[in-house]
Amino acid sequence: MTLSDEIQTFLVSQIEYYTEEAKSYKEMAREYNIDDGSAQDTAFGIIIGCIYSSFLQIFTNQNSVPNSQEMEEFTEIIIKNSKKIKEAITAET
């Protein structure tokens, strides 16, 4: 793996945070009068976007950009955790 342990740990913490807050993002999507199915998809997109933004910020802070292998690893981490994120969004409170 190319991603450092620090970056991997950070991404896992971001996924955990956004999974715990998934309902808030679903509610945010509903505020825009999006139907429930679309609200779930929108919330998923917002969460992935936030995690991606955080990932890029790590590199920006180091005056760097992720290379293609690092991007591929990021994508793999997201794919691996996508079911968990989606389940958090669809879970009833």
Side-chain angles (χ1 to χ4, degrees):
M1 289 196 122
T2 302
L3 291 177
S4 70
D5 288 341
E6 180 181 343
I7 292 174
Q8 289 180 43
T9 300
F10 177 75
L11 288 174
V12 168
S13 72
Q14 290 291 289
I15 291 166
E16 288 300 317
Y17 171 78
Y18 286 105
T19 298
E20 291 172 11
E21 297 297 323
K23 295 243 183 271
S24 298
Y25 291 94
K26 185 176 176 182
E27 290 302 316
M28 183 190 317
R30 283 186 180 146
E31 290 294 318
Y32 294 102
N33 294 320
I34 297 173
D35 66 69
D36 195 51
S38 293
Q40 292 174 12
D41 292 340
T42 301
F44 182 77
I46 292 169
I47 290 169
I48 298 303
C50 290
I51 295 168
Y52 179 66
S53 178
S54 296
F55 173 71
L56 292 179
Q57 189 63 47
I58 292 170
F59 289 91
T60 300
N61 291 346
Q62 299 171 355
N63 293 321
S64 181
V65 294
N67 63 37
S68 61
Q69 188 173 4
E70 290 165 329
M71 289 301 300
E72 187 175 315
E73 288 180 38
F74 169 81
T75 301
E76 289 172 11
I77 291 169
I78 293 301
I79 290 169
K80 178 181 167 189
N81 288 280
S82 64
K83 182 177 179 182
K84 177 181 180 176
I85 296 166
K86 288 178 183 179
E87 287 173 349
I89 293 166
T90 60
E92 296 298 318
T93 55

